[in-house]
Amino acid sequence: MVYEKFQQLLNESQKTPYRVSKETGISTATLSNWKHGNYTPKQNKLKVLADYFGVSVDYFVS
């Protein structure tokens, strides 16, 4: 669910996971693990992404 919303934001902003990784400090491996369901994003990482994309943390968890 979180990754799907992240993917939607990527599409809307025309950014790549690599670019987001470089600009937020969240590793591409972490993003990949979220995509494949290996990990659930921690609150602090969601906050970084929410701030980066200009959305609330609730956007990802609702």
Side-chain angles (χ1 to χ4, degrees):
M1 167 86 81
V2 171
Y3 194 85
E4 288 84 5
K5 291 189 176 188
F6 173 68
Q7 187 66 51
Q8 182 178 355
L9 290 169
L10 286 177
N11 293 339
E12 290 171 3
S13 65
Q14 298 181 339
K15 294 182 179 176
T16 64
Y18 177 79
R19 180 173 173 188
V20 172
S21 171
K22 291 301 177 193
E23 293 179 355
T24 64
I26 299 172
S27 73
T28 54
T30 296
L31 296 175
S32 179
N33 280 320
W34 292 349
K35 179 178 183 178
H36 297 292
N38 297 332
Y39 297 114
T40 302
K42 294 182 181 172
Q43 192 72 18
N44 63 329
K45 302 283 189 198
L46 288 179
K47 174 74 170 123
V48 170
L49 287 178
D51 290 347
Y52 179 78
F53 285 109
V55 298
S56 69
V57 172
D58 288 339
Y59 172 82
F60 289 106
V61 295
S62 61

